[in-house]
């Protein structure tokens, strides 16, 4: 893993940023401010529907363990579909034909994008989580560079209109595929787990937590999609202007995500909602005060929230796939299903309920979206502790292969000393060597609450320090025997 860690810090893992940039470029290229209509949303649902079909097929195929050959096949097929879809959309842009070629490009590129994220997520889960997190911090500059290059290419008179975007959309899948092949060659096989651990994987509370976590993300993404549609409908801004503001929003999101990773060492859903909801609230206030005067500031806020959520669910899928290493492709496929459903729900809700609303109602839609995001926020904190997303969900590499996993030892200790459910979560993080600041952020509780839980755990176990706790839990043969 030392070789893998050093290699993972390079450009090979950052190559997923080209896929991310292609996704946004494909979205912007197939959208105009004046096209927020039922026909546009019909095409969008077709695009997302084809993605959903491919993801559901992947769930069926990879229900059990996967092998490298299957992973390479998925990556190659995804590249081919993305390239074909990009060529079809490029033809429609150059020929200024938004009919058959544009629709065919979306239907073909949809499965390619879904399968690409499944392949990339699985590859990233084969590296150290720290490598994946460092690579993600490089994705955002790549995303900004792609969006700005697309905008400048349209402004420079040397190139024919839309030609630069067409070439860029064809080159990005190629770059992503090249880096994917390189990363796959450097990745290592996931460690085999005990039969008892593998049998328990995919059952009980873990599955319930994953289902509710993905449902939460899907719901939040649907809300964000409705908000974007309402904003574009109300202000009728051009796509090229939105691209520039979007790039600025991505730059603003970068230090926020970096700070979240730096402080919590994992980007938990609750920690993202903590700053995304205030930014959305600020956008709502600006929209109600003077929609026309603060249109670009509102667009900036929405861009920050959009990029932040994109980063959140990509990282969360990597965490989940890392935890369920033997079924990583299944976890990644379920993640793509969840996000695609979120997009389809957002498109359908907009088309059915809000597409015929007046521009004055757009502000009310933003207010309702803010309320729904607060509701999602209230549900998010309960997921992280159970999944181990905030605590590095996989077993530590230093632990012996034959020793019970940390979760099992913590469970035995908690039963032996009568710990409460919340104290069990704190015990699990303490046993991993996590600090109190990390626990506060991971479980979304105050400093005083953390101190109280730690004090109660120490009192019940008759110890006075974290070192004693780790020794008693991890090395306590009497607890394991009991």
């Amino acid at each position: 893993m030392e070789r893998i860690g050093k290699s993972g810090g390079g450009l090979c893992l950052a190559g997923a940023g080209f896929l991310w940039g292609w996704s946004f470029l494909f979205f912007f290229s197939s959208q105009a401010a004046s096209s927020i209509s039922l026909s546009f949303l019909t095409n969008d649902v077709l695009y997302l529907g084809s993605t959903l079909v491919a993801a559901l097929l992947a769930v069926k195929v990879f229900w059990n363990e996967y092998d490298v050959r299957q992973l390479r096949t998925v990556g190659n097929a995804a590249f081919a579909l993305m390239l074909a879809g990009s060529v079809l959309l490029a033809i429609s842009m150059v020929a200024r034909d938004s009919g058959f070629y544009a629709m065919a490009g979306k239907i073909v590129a949809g499965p390619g994008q879904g399968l690409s994220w499944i392949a990339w997520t699985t590859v990233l889960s084969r590296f150290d989580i720290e490598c994946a997190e460092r690579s993600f911090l490089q994705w955002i500059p790549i995303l900004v560079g792609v969006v700005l290059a697309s905008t400048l290419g349209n402004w420079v008179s040397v190139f024919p209109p839309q030609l630069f975007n067409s070439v860029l959309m064809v080159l990005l899948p190629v770059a992503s595929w090249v880096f994917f092949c390189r990363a796959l060659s450097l990745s290592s096989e996931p460690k085999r787990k005990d039969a008892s651990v593998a049998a328990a994987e995919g059952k009980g509370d873990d599955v319930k937590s994953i289902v509710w976590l993905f449902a939460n993300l899907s719901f939040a993404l649907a809300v964000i999609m409705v908000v974007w549609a309402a904003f574009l409908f109300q202000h009728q801004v051009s796509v090229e202007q939105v691209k520039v503001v979007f790039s600025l929003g991505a730059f603003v999101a970068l230090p926020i995500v970096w700070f979240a990773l730096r402080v919590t060492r994992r980007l938990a859903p609750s920690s993202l909602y903590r700053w995304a909801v205030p930014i959305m609230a600020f956008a709502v206030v600006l929209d109600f005060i003077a929609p026309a005067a603060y249109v670009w500031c509102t667009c900036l806020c929405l861009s920050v929230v959009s990029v932040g959520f994109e980063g959140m669910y990509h990282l969360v899928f990597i965490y989940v796939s890392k935890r369920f290493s033997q079924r990583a492709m299944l976890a990644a496929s379920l993640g793509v299903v969840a996000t695609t459903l979120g997009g389809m729900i957002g498109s359908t809700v907009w088309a059915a309920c809000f597409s015929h609303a007046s521009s004055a109602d757009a502000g009310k839609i933003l207010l309702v979206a803010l309320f729904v995001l607060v509701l999602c926020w209230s549900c998010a904190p309960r997921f992280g502790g159970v999944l181990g997303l905030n605590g590095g969900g996989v077993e530590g590499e230093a632990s012996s292969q034959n020793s019970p996993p940390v979760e099992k030892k913590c469970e035995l200790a908690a039963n032996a000393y009568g710990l409460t459910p919340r104290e069990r979560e704190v015990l699990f993080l303490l046993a991993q060597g996590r600090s109190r600041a990390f626990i506060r952020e991971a479980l979304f509780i105050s400093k005083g609450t953390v101190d109280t839980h730690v004090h109660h755990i120490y009192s019940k176990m008759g110890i006075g320090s974290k070192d004693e706790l780790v020794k008693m839990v991890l090395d306590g043969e009497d607890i394991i025997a009991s």
Side-chain angles (χ1 to χ4, degrees), residues 73-144:
T73 300
V74 170
N76 294 338
F79 157 72
L81 290 171
M82 286 175 59
L83 188 60
S86 299
V87 170
L88 289 172
L89 188 61
I91 293 174
S92 71
M93 289 192 302
V94 174
R96 296 188 177 278
D97 174 22
S98 59
F100 171 76
Y101 288 109
M103 183 179 296
K106 292 179 180 181
I107 294 176
V108 172
Q113 182 191 22
L115 294 176
S116 293
W117 278 120
I118 292 173
W120 264 112
T121 301
T122 306
V123 167
L124 287 164
S125 70
R126 295 160 66 93
F127 290 80
D128 291 333
I129 285 297
E130 287 73 15
C131 296
E133 292 172 347
R134 286 197 303 269
S135 71
F136 170 71
L137 295 177
Q138 301 175 58
W139 296 2
I140 297 181
I142 293 175
L143 170 65
V144 173

Coordinates of all heavy atoms in Angstrom, one line a residue, residues 73-144:
T73 N -13.7 -3.9 -18.3 CA -14.7 -3.9 -19.4 C -15.7 -2.8 -19.2 O -16.1 -2.1 -20.2 CB -15.5 -5.3 -19.4 OG1 -14.5 -6.3 -19.6 CG2 -16.5 -5.3 -20.4
V74 N -16.2 -2.5 -18.0 CA -17.1 -1.4 -17.8 C -16.5 -0.1 -18.1 O -17.1 0.8 -18.7 CB -17.5 -1.5 -16.3 CG1 -18.3 -0.2 -15.9 CG2 -18.4 -2.7 -16.0
G75 N -15.2 0.1 -17.7 CA -14.5 1.3 -18.1 C -14.4 1.6 -19.6 O -14.7 2.7 -20.1
N76 N -14.1 0.5 -20.3 CA -14.0 0.6 -21.8 C -15.3 0.9 -22.4 O -15.4 1.7 -23.3 CB -13.4 -0.7 -22.4 CG -11.9 -0.9 -21.9 OD1 -11.2 0.1 -21.6 ND2 -11.5 -2.1 -22.0
A77 N -16.4 0.2 -22.0 CA -17.7 0.4 -22.5 C -18.2 1.8 -22.2 O -18.8 2.5 -23.1 CB -18.7 -0.6 -22.0
A78 N -17.9 2.3 -21.0 CA -18.4 3.6 -20.7 C -17.7 4.7 -21.5 O -18.3 5.6 -22.0 CB -18.1 3.9 -19.2
F79 N -16.4 4.5 -21.8 CA -15.6 5.4 -22.6 C -16.2 5.5 -24.0 O -16.4 6.5 -24.6 CB -14.2 5.0 -22.7 CG -13.4 5.5 -23.9 CD1 -13.1 6.8 -24.0 CD2 -13.1 4.6 -24.9 CE1 -12.4 7.3 -25.2 CE2 -12.4 5.0 -26.0 CZ -12.1 6.4 -26.2
A80 N -16.5 4.3 -24.6 CA -17.1 4.2 -25.9 C -18.4 5.0 -26.0 O -18.7 5.7 -27.0 CB -17.2 2.8 -26.4
L81 N -19.3 4.7 -25.0 CA -20.6 5.4 -25.0 C -20.5 6.9 -24.8 O -21.2 7.7 -25.5 CB -21.5 4.8 -23.9 CG -21.9 3.3 -24.1 CD1 -22.6 2.8 -22.9 CD2 -22.9 3.3 -25.3
M82 N -19.6 7.3 -23.9 CA -19.4 8.8 -23.8 C -18.9 9.4 -25.0 O -19.3 10.5 -25.4 CB -18.4 9.0 -22.6 CG -19.0 8.8 -21.2 SD -17.7 9.0 -19.9 CE -17.2 10.6 -20.2
L83 N -17.9 8.8 -25.7 CA -17.4 9.3 -26.9 C -18.4 9.4 -28.0 O -18.5 10.4 -28.7 CB -16.2 8.4 -27.4 CG -15.4 9.0 -28.5 CD1 -14.7 10.3 -28.2 CD2 -14.3 8.0 -28.9
A84 N -19.2 8.4 -28.1 CA -20.3 8.4 -29.2 C -21.3 9.4 -28.9 O -21.7 10.2 -29.8 CB -20.9 7.0 -29.2
G85 N -21.7 9.6 -27.6 CA -22.7 10.6 -27.3 C -22.1 12.0 -27.5 O -22.8 12.9 -27.9
S86 N -20.8 12.2 -27.2 CA -20.2 13.5 -27.4 C -20.2 13.9 -28.9 O -20.4 15.0 -29.3 CB -18.8 13.5 -26.8 OG -18.8 13.3 -25.4
V87 N -19.9 12.9 -29.7 CA -19.8 13.1 -31.2 C -21.2 13.5 -31.7 O -21.3 14.4 -32.5 CB -19.3 11.9 -31.9 CG1 -19.4 12.0 -33.4 CG2 -17.8 11.7 -31.5
L88 N -22.2 12.8 -31.2 CA -23.6 13.1 -31.7 C -24.0 14.5 -31.3 O -24.6 15.3 -32.0 CB -24.6 12.0 -31.1 CG -24.5 10.7 -31.8 CD1 -25.3 9.7 -31.0 CD2 -24.9 10.7 -33.2
L89 N -23.7 14.9 -30.0 CA -24.1 16.2 -29.5 C -23.3 17.3 -30.2 O -23.8 18.4 -30.5 CB -23.9 16.3 -28.0 CG -24.4 17.6 -27.4 CD1 -25.9 17.7 -27.6 CD2 -24.1 17.6 -25.9
A90 N -22.0 17.0 -30.5 CA -21.1 17.9 -31.3 C -21.7 18.1 -32.7 O -21.7 19.3 -33.2 CB -19.7 17.4 -31.3
I91 N -22.2 17.1 -33.3 CA -22.8 17.3 -34.6 C -24.0 18.2 -34.6 O -24.2 19.1 -35.4 CB -23.2 15.9 -35.2 CG1 -21.9 15.1 -35.5 CG2 -24.0 16.1 -36.5 CD1 -22.2 13.7 -36.0
S92 N -24.8 18.0 -33.5 CA -26.0 18.8 -33.4 C -25.6 20.3 -33.1 O -26.3 21.2 -33.6 CB -26.9 18.3 -32.2 OG -26.3 18.5 -31.0
M93 N -24.5 20.5 -32.4 CA -24.1 21.9 -32.1 C -23.5 22.6 -33.3 O -23.9 23.7 -33.6 CB -23.1 21.9 -30.9 CG -23.7 21.6 -29.6 SD -22.6 22.0 -28.2 CE -21.2 21.0 -28.6
V94 N -22.7 21.9 -34.0 CA -22.1 22.5 -35.2 C -23.1 22.7 -36.3 O -23.1 23.7 -37.0 CB -20.9 21.6 -35.7 CG1 -20.4 22.1 -37.0 CG2 -19.8 21.5 -34.7
A95 N -24.0 21.8 -36.5 CA -25.1 21.9 -37.5 C -26.2 22.7 -37.0 O -27.2 22.9 -37.8 CB -25.5 20.5 -37.9
R96 N -26.2 23.2 -35.7 CA -27.3 23.9 -35.1 C -28.6 23.2 -35.2 O -29.7 23.8 -35.6 CB -27.4 25.3 -35.7 CG -26.2 26.2 -35.5 CD -26.4 27.6 -35.9 NE -25.2 28.4 -35.6 CZ -24.9 29.0 -34.5 NH1 -25.8 28.8 -33.5 NH2 -23.8 29.7 -34.3
D97 N -28.5 21.9 -35.0 CA -29.7 21.1 -35.1 C -30.0 20.5 -33.7 O -29.2 19.7 -33.2 CB -29.6 19.9 -36.1 CG -30.7 19.0 -36.0 OD1 -31.8 19.4 -35.6 OD2 -30.5 17.8 -36.5
S98 N -31.0 21.0 -33.0 CA -31.3 20.5 -31.6 C -32.3 19.4 -31.6 O -32.9 19.1 -30.6 CB -31.9 21.7 -30.8 OG -33.0 22.2 -31.4
G99 N -32.5 18.7 -32.7 CA -33.5 17.6 -32.8 C -32.9 16.3 -32.6 O -32.5 15.9 -31.5
F100 N -32.8 15.5 -33.6 CA -32.5 14.1 -33.5 C -31.1 13.8 -32.9 O -30.9 13.0 -32.0 CB -32.6 13.4 -34.9 CG -32.0 12.0 -34.9 CD1 -32.8 11.0 -34.4 CD2 -30.8 11.7 -35.4 CE1 -32.3 9.7 -34.4 CE2 -30.3 10.4 -35.5 CZ -31.0 9.4 -34.9
Y101 N -30.1 14.5 -33.4 CA -28.7 14.3 -33.0 C -28.5 14.6 -31.5 O -27.9 13.9 -30.8 CB -27.7 15.1 -33.8 CG -27.5 14.5 -35.2 CD1 -28.0 15.2 -36.3 CD2 -26.9 13.3 -35.4 CE1 -27.9 14.7 -37.6 CE2 -26.8 12.8 -36.7 CZ -27.3 13.5 -37.8 OH -27.1 13.0 -39.0
A102 N -29.2 15.7 -31.1 CA -29.0 16.1 -29.7 C -29.7 15.1 -28.8 O -29.1 14.7 -27.7 CB -29.7 17.5 -29.4
M103 N -30.9 14.6 -29.1 CA -31.6 13.6 -28.3 C -30.8 12.3 -28.3 O -30.7 11.7 -27.3 CB -33.0 13.4 -28.8 CG -33.8 12.5 -28.0 SD -35.5 12.3 -28.6 CE -36.1 13.9 -28.3
A104 N -30.3 11.9 -29.5 CA -29.6 10.6 -29.6 C -28.3 10.7 -28.8 O -27.9 9.8 -28.1 CB -29.3 10.3 -31.0
G105 N -27.6 11.9 -28.8 CA -26.4 12.1 -28.0 C -26.7 11.9 -26.5 O -25.9 11.3 -25.8
K106 N -27.8 12.5 -26.1 CA -28.1 12.4 -24.6 C -28.4 10.9 -24.2 O -27.9 10.4 -23.2 CB -29.3 13.3 -24.3 CG -29.0 14.7 -24.4 CD -30.2 15.6 -24.0 CE -29.9 17.1 -24.1 NZ -31.1 17.9 -23.8
I107 N -29.2 10.2 -25.1 CA -29.5 8.9 -24.7 C -28.3 7.9 -24.7 O -28.2 7.0 -23.9 CB -30.6 8.4 -25.7 CG1 -31.9 9.2 -25.6 CG2 -30.9 6.9 -25.5 CD1 -33.0 8.8 -26.6
V108 N -27.4 8.2 -25.6 CA -26.2 7.4 -25.7 C -25.2 7.7 -24.6 O -24.6 6.9 -24.0 CB -25.5 7.5 -27.1 CG1 -24.1 6.8 -27.1 CG2 -26.4 6.9 -28.2
A109 N -25.0 9.0 -24.4 CA -24.0 9.5 -23.4 C -24.5 9.2 -21.9 O -23.6 9.1 -21.0 CB -23.7 11.0 -23.5
G110 N -25.8 9.1 -21.7 CA -26.3 8.9 -20.3 C -25.7 7.6 -19.7 O -25.1 7.7 -18.6
P111 N -25.9 6.4 -20.4 CA -25.3 5.2 -19.8 C -23.8 5.3 -19.7 O -23.2 4.8 -18.7 CB -25.7 4.2 -20.8 CG -26.9 4.7 -21.5 CD -26.7 6.2 -21.6
G112 N -23.1 6.0 -20.6 CA -21.7 6.2 -20.5 C -21.2 6.9 -19.3 O -20.3 6.5 -18.6
Q113 N -21.9 8.0 -19.0 CA -21.6 8.7 -17.8 C -21.8 7.9 -16.5 O -21.0 7.9 -15.6 CB -22.4 10.0 -17.7 CG -22.0 10.9 -16.5 CD -23.0 12.0 -16.3 OE1 -24.2 11.9 -16.7 NE2 -22.6 13.0 -15.6
G114 N -23.0 7.2 -16.4 CA -23.2 6.4 -15.3 C -22.2 5.3 -15.1 O -21.7 5.1 -13.9
L115 N -21.9 4.6 -16.1 CA -20.9 3.5 -16.0 C -19.5 4.0 -15.7 O -18.7 3.4 -15.0 CB -20.9 2.7 -17.3 CG -22.2 1.9 -17.6 CD1 -22.1 1.2 -19.0 CD2 -22.5 0.9 -16.5
S116 N -19.2 5.2 -16.2 CA -17.9 5.8 -16.0 C -17.7 6.1 -14.5 O -16.7 5.8 -13.9 CB -17.7 7.1 -16.8 OG -17.7 6.8 -18.1
W117 N -18.8 6.7 -13.9 CA -18.7 6.9 -12.4 C -18.6 5.7 -11.6 O -18.0 5.6 -10.6 CB -19.9 7.8 -12.0 CG -19.7 9.3 -12.2 CD1 -20.4 10.1 -13.0 CD2 -18.6 10.1 -11.8 NE1 -19.9 11.4 -13.0 CE2 -18.8 11.4 -12.3 CE3 -17.5 9.9 -11.0 CZ2 -17.9 12.4 -12.0 CZ3 -16.6 10.9 -10.7 CH2 -16.9 12.2 -11.2
I118 N -19.3 4.6 -12.1 CA -19.2 3.3 -11.4 C -17.8 2.8 -11.4 O -17.2 2.4 -10.4 CB -20.2 2.3 -12.0 CG1 -21.6 2.7 -11.7 CG2 -19.9 0.9 -11.5 CD1 -22.7 1.9 -12.4
A119 N -17.2 2.9 -12.6 CA -15.8 2.4 -12.8 C -14.8 3.2 -12.0 O -13.9 2.7 -11.3 CB -15.4 2.4 -14.3
W120 N -14.9 4.5 -12.1 CA -14.0 5.4 -11.4 C -14.2 5.3 -9.9 O -13.1 5.2 -9.1 CB -14.2 6.9 -11.8 CG -13.3 7.3 -12.8 CD1 -13.6 7.7 -14.1 CD2 -11.9 7.5 -12.7 NE1 -12.5 8.1 -14.8 CE2 -11.4 8.0 -14.0 CE3 -10.9 7.3 -11.7 CZ2 -10.1 8.3 -14.2 CZ3 -9.6 7.6 -11.9 CH2 -9.2 8.1 -13.2
T121 N -15.4 5.2 -9.4 CA -15.6 5.0 -7.9 C -15.0 3.7 -7.4 O -14.3 3.7 -6.4 CB -17.1 5.1 -7.6 OG1 -17.7 6.3 -8.0 CG2 -17.3 4.9 -6.1
T122 N -15.1 2.7 -8.2 CA -14.6 1.4 -7.8 C -13.0 1.4 -7.8 O -12.4 0.9 -6.9 CB -15.0 0.3 -8.7 OG1 -16.5 0.3 -8.8 CG2 -14.6 -1.1 -8.3
V123 N -12.5 2.1 -8.8 CA -11.0 2.2 -8.8 C -10.5 3.0 -7.6 O -9.5 2.6 -7.0 CB -10.5 2.8 -10.2 CG1 -9.1 3.2 -10.1 CG2 -10.7 1.8 -11.3
L124 N -11.1 4.1 -7.4 CA -10.7 5.0 -6.3 C -10.9 4.2 -4.9 O -10.1 4.5 -4.0 CB -11.5 6.3 -6.2 CG -11.2 7.2 -7.4 CD1 -12.3 8.3 -7.5 CD2 -9.8 7.9 -7.1
S125 N -11.8 3.4 -4.8 CA -12.0 2.6 -3.5 C -10.9 1.6 -3.3 O -10.7 1.1 -2.2 CB -13.4 1.9 -3.5 OG -13.4 0.8 -4.5
R126 N -10.1 1.3 -4.4 CA -9.0 0.3 -4.3 C -7.7 1.0 -3.8 O -6.7 0.4 -3.6 CB -8.8 -0.3 -5.6 CG -9.9 -1.2 -6.1 CD -9.9 -1.4 -7.6 NE -8.7 -2.2 -8.0 CZ -8.7 -3.5 -8.2 NH1 -9.8 -4.2 -7.9 NH2 -7.7 -4.2 -8.6
F127 N -7.8 2.3 -3.6 CA -6.6 3.1 -3.1 C -7.0 3.5 -1.7 O -8.1 3.3 -1.2 CB -6.4 4.4 -3.9 CG -5.8 4.1 -5.3 CD1 -6.6 3.7 -6.3 CD2 -4.5 4.2 -5.5 CE1 -6.1 3.5 -7.6 CE2 -3.9 4.0 -6.8 CZ -4.8 3.6 -7.8
D128 N -6.0 4.1 -1.0 CA -6.2 4.6 0.3 C -7.2 5.8 0.2 O -7.2 6.5 -0.8 CB -4.9 5.2 0.9 CG -3.9 4.1 1.3 OD1 -4.4 3.0 1.6 OD2 -2.7 4.3 1.3
I129 N -8.1 5.9 1.2 CA -9.1 7.0 1.2 C -8.4 8.3 1.1 O -8.9 9.2 0.5 CB -10.0 6.9 2.5 CG1 -10.9 5.7 2.3 CG2 -10.7 8.1 2.7 CD1 -11.9 5.8 1.2
E130 N -7.3 8.5 1.8 CA -6.6 9.8 1.8 C -6.2 10.1 0.3 O -6.2 11.3 -0.1 CB -5.3 9.7 2.7 CG -5.6 9.8 4.2 CD -6.2 8.5 4.7 OE1 -6.1 7.4 3.9 OE2 -6.8 8.4 5.8
C131 N -5.8 9.1 -0.5 CA -5.4 9.4 -1.9 C -6.7 9.9 -2.7 O -6.6 10.8 -3.5 CB -4.9 8.1 -2.5 SG -3.4 7.5 -1.8
A132 N -7.8 9.3 -2.4 CA -9.0 9.7 -3.1 C -9.4 11.1 -2.7 O -9.8 11.9 -3.5 CB -10.2 8.7 -2.8
E133 N -9.2 11.4 -1.4 CA -9.6 12.8 -1.0 C -8.6 13.8 -1.6 O -9.1 14.9 -2.0 CB -9.5 12.8 0.6 CG -10.7 12.0 1.2 CD -10.5 11.9 2.7 OE1 -9.4 12.3 3.2 OE2 -11.4 11.5 3.4
R134 N -7.4 13.5 -1.6 CA -6.4 14.4 -2.2 C -6.7 14.6 -3.7 O -6.6 15.7 -4.3 CB -5.0 13.9 -2.0 CG -4.4 14.1 -0.6 CD -2.9 14.0 -0.6 NE -2.5 12.7 -1.2 CZ -2.2 11.6 -0.4 NH1 -2.5 11.6 0.9 NH2 -1.8 10.5 -1.0
S135 N -7.1 13.5 -4.4 CA -7.4 13.6 -5.8 C -8.6 14.5 -6.0 O -8.7 15.2 -7.0 CB -7.5 12.2 -6.4 OG -8.7 11.6 -6.0
F136 N -9.6 14.4 -5.1 CA -10.8 15.1 -5.3 C -10.5 16.6 -5.3 O -11.1 17.4 -6.0 CB -11.8 14.8 -4.3 CG -13.0 15.7 -4.2 CD1 -13.9 15.7 -5.3 CD2 -13.2 16.6 -3.2 CE1 -15.0 16.6 -5.3 CE2 -14.2 17.5 -3.2 CZ -15.2 17.5 -4.3
L137 N -9.6 17.0 -4.4 CA -9.2 18.5 -4.3 C -8.6 18.9 -5.6 O -8.5 20.1 -5.9 CB -8.3 18.7 -3.2 CG -8.9 18.4 -1.8 CD1 -7.8 18.6 -0.7 CD2 -10.1 19.3 -1.5
Q138 N -8.1 18.0 -6.5 CA -7.6 18.4 -7.8 C -8.7 18.4 -8.8 O -8.6 18.9 -9.9 CB -6.5 17.4 -8.2 CG -5.3 17.4 -7.2 CD -4.3 16.3 -7.6 OE1 -3.7 16.3 -8.7 NE2 -4.0 15.4 -6.7
W139 N -9.8 17.7 -8.5 CA -10.9 17.6 -9.5 C -11.5 19.0 -9.7 O -11.8 19.4 -10.9 CB -12.0 16.7 -9.0 CG -11.7 15.3 -8.9 CD1 -10.5 14.7 -9.1 CD2 -12.6 14.2 -8.5 NE1 -10.5 13.4 -8.9 CE2 -11.8 13.0 -8.5 CE3 -13.9 14.2 -8.1 CZ2 -12.4 11.8 -8.1 CZ3 -14.5 13.0 -7.7 CH2 -13.7 11.8 -7.8
I140 N -11.6 19.8 -8.7 CA -12.3 21.1 -8.8 C -11.5 22.0 -9.7 O -12.2 22.7 -10.6 CB -12.5 21.7 -7.4 CG1 -13.5 20.8 -6.6 CG2 -13.1 23.1 -7.5 CD1 -13.8 21.3 -5.2
P141 N -10.2 22.2 -9.5 CA -9.5 23.0 -10.5 C -9.6 22.5 -12.0 O -9.7 23.3 -12.9 CB -8.0 23.0 -10.1 CG -8.1 22.7 -8.6 CD -9.3 21.8 -8.5
I142 N -9.7 21.2 -12.2 CA -9.9 20.7 -13.5 C -11.3 21.1 -14.0 O -11.4 21.5 -15.2 CB -9.7 19.1 -13.5 CG1 -8.2 18.8 -13.2 CG2 -10.1 18.5 -14.8 CD1 -8.0 17.3 -13.1
L143 N -12.3 20.9 -13.1 CA -13.6 21.3 -13.5 C -13.7 22.8 -13.9 O -14.3 23.1 -15.0 CB -14.6 21.1 -12.3 CG -16.0 21.6 -12.5 CD1 -16.7 20.9 -13.6 CD2 -16.7 21.5 -11.1
V144 N -13.1 23.6 -13.1 CA -13.1 25.1 -13.4 C -12.4 25.3 -14.7 O -12.8 26.1 -15.6 CB -12.4 25.9 -12.3 CG1 -12.3 27.3 -12.6 CG2 -13.2 25.7 -11.0

